[in-house]
DNA sequence: GTTACCTGAGTAAACGATTAACTAATCAGT
DNA sequence: ACTGATTAGTTAATCGTTTACTCAGGTAAC
């Protein structure tokens, strides 16, 4: 690899001059010198050594994102939104899959700090208190899963979440407005805020309309397809149910499969609402009514907020985004 | 951030000694000194500055992956496989979405080279000749989409592909063995090797069994859901078709949707085989028979080969992986 | 004619780590 | 007592940039 110093030698100038020209700080450089340098740079195919530059400049223009799993459609959309926004701002993204494990999350945070990333975007593992993964001085955005952070938190922390309570309230109200009388919920039993809020919204909606919340209309396990499948099989064993709120779209996919096996048709026998609006939901049979999380926007906002933190700008360090009901044929 | 030099000062030793202890090259360091240093490191929460280390060591333990889009299930699986394998080998992954554009691909290659990645794993844009994106001296693995590379290629290039011809041959033969007589294909019309091979395998299978290849049984557009939908609507307009080979699973998803709308049932009226076996295929209605690409293995092999290239080890620089027919209910 | 500013460029330190080469002390063996 | 090997460290150069500071000559103003 050819270096700046070598370019300087070829052009018979100092390395300072070459640096200035390359970085456009060439107010006090003659046109002749500038051209001479640029020609050589071009001819030799010189590429800046970003590592040396980073060492001197104390930034890397790189951020890390830690998510449970890119294969999960929700997170792959998130990753894409983040990468797109980052690229536009001149940042590059290191991808880390935590598998929802605190241990892996901690390990990745350490690696990212060694790599001197300028910031981290982190979706914490489902069960995780913030103190156990505190990212030190690196600016960090906590995304998607709310976590208790002390108010006098010394680090640079931003938080971006979705209003889960309102989302599941919307979903349940929608089912009610479609005439459902016996509405069940299948969701995750993890004790973190988003999960609890999604259950809370469901319960609030029922209570507000004068219904009782019945604990044998709840099936709580995990945010995956199997849970949806098992949930329907278990809930519909002996009870009648005409409405189903699923904690996320994967659960809804499993639920649809189980309902088909039970020869129940959607939406005539049972109406279903999901949560997330992953890319696939509109191609299910029937296309799934769901609560859309503004995933791409989350990515953009996360980058925006993170860069503000990196640059020590004053910003609102908590954003709560609203969801949107997307009505399709499952209700 | 505390530096190695500061640790050295606190411990009253030279920075060389601290470096040796931290990196385990402490054969000639007394137990007392070692303990003293390690205690201070622990207490101060010292973290190595990886940038400085990289500058000196001339490696970054970072690789870049350039794929069209992580939101595409096939590539998110690939990304995951790569990241997993990389992490095990002590490498970190920079994620780049090229959107299938040559311009973005070129830009990312340049950025990755500035960041001094140790290697690149690249899925070239669909229409792309290799010379236009030549990654210079950075070791590179070309993944999934075969590209013509000159035999005297000076760069360190490895190639890993799937045997597409054999895969689509298997798919088509499977449809024939299930009794299909009128088999159509919906796939992509891009003029790259994988696309052409998938069509080729389909044609070969038909010819080998004595059927004629009929050009109005072909619908070629893109590898997406819409193509599948449009393809079925167009192919079934006036022709009878009892078997359908889809160039990938996304196409199959669209095709299933269109067939439902036409009140044709799968597999009794039309049998369908896809290609890729994305995570979702088994949850479709009906679960999709498909040609599984060994995606995770591709990721592992890619990392393995790339690290060999990085370390100048002698390896086979071309791997062609075989596919597997996964029979589900759509046939 | 002195002062002050502008222009065009060079010098050298700094960023934070690694490591080859060196020193100095101890020890075993003859 | 001398040699050679082993042990326990230090010194200082180096990786490839950026940039504060310096310098010299030209020009404009008073």
């Amino acid at each position: 690899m050819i270096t700046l110093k070598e370019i300087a030698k070829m052009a018979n100038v100092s390395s300072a001059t070459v640096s200035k020209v390359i970085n456009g700080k060439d107010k006090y450089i003659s046109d002749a010198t500038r051209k001479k340098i640029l020609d050589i740079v071009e001819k030799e195919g010189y590429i800046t050594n970003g590592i040396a530059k980073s060492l001197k400049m104390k930034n890397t223009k790189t951020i890390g994102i830690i998510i449970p799993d890119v294969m999960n459609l929700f997170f792959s959309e998130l990753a894409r939104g983040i990468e797109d926004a980052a690229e536009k701002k001149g940042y590059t993204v290191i991808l880390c899959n935590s598998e929802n494990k605190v241990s892996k999350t901690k390990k990745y945070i350490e690696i990212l700090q060694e790599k001197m990333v300028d910031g981290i975007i982190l979706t914490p593992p489902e069960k995780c208190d913030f103190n156990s993964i505190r990212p030190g001085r690196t600016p960090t955005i906590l995304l998607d899963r709310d976590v208790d952070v002390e108010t006098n938190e010394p680090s640079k922390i931003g938080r971006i979440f979705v209003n889960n309570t309102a989302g599941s309230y919307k979903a349940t109200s929608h089912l009610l407005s479609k005439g459902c009388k016996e509405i069940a919920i299948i969701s995750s039993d993890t004790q973190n805020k988003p999960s609890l809020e999604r259950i809370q919204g469901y319960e609030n909606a029922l209570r507000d309309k004068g219904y009782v919340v019945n604990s044998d209309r709840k099936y709580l396990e995990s945010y995956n397809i199997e849970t949806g499948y098992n949930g329907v099989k278990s809930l519909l064993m002996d009870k009648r149910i005409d409405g189903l709120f699923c904690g996320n779209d994967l659960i809804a996919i499993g639920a649809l499969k189980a309902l088909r096996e039970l020869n129940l048709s959607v939406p005539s026998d049972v109406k279903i609402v999901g949560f997330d609006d992953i890319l696939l939901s509109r191609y299910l049979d029937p296309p799934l009514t769901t609560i859309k999380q503004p995933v791409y926007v989350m990515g953009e906002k996360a980058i925006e907020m993170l860069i503000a933190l990196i640059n020590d700008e004053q910003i609102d360090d908590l954003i709560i985004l609203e969801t949107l009901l997307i009505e399709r044929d499952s209700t």
Side-chain angles (χ1 to χ4, degrees), chain A residues 159-210:
Chain A
R159 292 146 76 210
I160 300 183
F161 307 108
V162 135
N163 191 339
N164 287 288
T165 317
S168 57
Y169 191 98
K170 262 183 241 177
T172 312
S173 302
H174 175 71
L175 287 169
L176 288 166
S177 78
K178 289 284 171 181
C180 298
K181 304 284 180 205
E182 333 258 349
I183 302 176
I185 179 173
I186 304 180
S187 192
S188 161
D189 67 345
T190 42
Q191 297 296 308
N192 57 17
K193 277 202 195 172
S195 294
L196 296 173
E197 285 175 7
R198 288 186 194 182
I199 299 167
Q200 194 61 52
Y202 157 79
E203 293 180 353
N204 291 351
L206 289 181
R207 288 211 187 87
D208 285 0
K209 304 283 171 176

Side-chain angles (χ1 to χ4, degrees), chain A residues 8 42 78 181 234 253 259 272 276:
Chain A
E42 178 71 19
L78 195 55
K181 304 284 180 205
S234 150
I253 291 173
L259 288 169
I272 293 196
D276 282 356

Side-chain angles (χ1 to χ4, degrees), chain A residues 7 16 44 67 71 81 85 106 127 160 166-167 169 178 181 220-221 273 276 292 294 303 310:
Chain A
I7 298 282
E44 301 292 328
I67 53 179
M71 274 169 71
K106 284 166 93 166
K127 295 177 174 194
I160 300 183
Y169 191 98
K178 289 284 171 181
K181 304 284 180 205
L220 304 179
E221 201 173 293
V273 181
D276 282 356
K292 181 184 176 62
I303 286 293
I310 291 170

Side-chain angles (χ1 to χ4, degrees), chain A residues 67-136:
Chain A
I67 53 179
D69 180 9
V70 248
M71 274 169 71
N72 179 319
L73 271 164
F74 177 75
F75 292 112
S76 60
E77 276 189 63
L78 195 55
R80 182 65 208 273
I82 290 172
E83 205 274 316
D84 275 12
E87 191 264 336
K88 279 178 199 142
K89 302 275 189 178
Y91 283 78
T92 260
V93 171
I94 293 181
L95 173 69
C96 309
N97 296 290
S98 71
E99 287 173 0
N100 247 323
K101 292 181 190 157
V102 175
S103 59
K104 268 199 124 183
T105 303
K106 284 166 93 166
K107 191 182 163 198
Y108 273 125
I109 289 179
E110 209 165 302
I111 291 174
L112 291 175
Q113 289 182 313
E114 282 197 5
K115 305 239 164 172
M116 298 278 129
V117 295
D118 295 340
I120 296 176
I121 294 179
L122 170 65
T123 296
E126 281 176 3
K127 295 177 174 194
C128 175
D129 87 301
F130 181 64
N131 286 315
S132 66
I133 54 166
R134 176 176 305 287

Side-chain angles (χ1 to χ4, degrees), chain A residues 207-276:
Chain A
R207 288 211 187 87
D208 285 0
K209 304 283 171 176
Y211 290 83
V212 292
V213 173
N214 195 330
S215 75
D216 57 89
R217 295 244 171 77
K218 280 186 197 166
Y219 185 89
L220 304 179
E221 201 173 293
S222 317
Y223 285 123
N224 56 34
I225 296 177
E226 285 69 31
T227 295
Y229 184 85
N230 298 335
V232 164
K233 295 272 166 137
S234 150
L235 287 169
L236 294 194
M237 275 255 286
D238 40 28
K239 291 169 290 291
R240 202 187 124 53
I241 274 166
D242 59 6
L244 186 55
F245 168 56
C246 298
N248 76 359
D249 286 356
L250 292 177
I251 291 177
I253 291 173
L256 284 171
K257 185 180 164 78
L259 288 169
R260 266 197 303 275
E261 289 183 17
L262 296 171
N263 279 315
L264 287 169
S265 99
V266 178
S268 53
D269 295 326
V270 179
K271 304 191 198 318
I272 293 196
V273 181
F275 206 112
D276 282 356

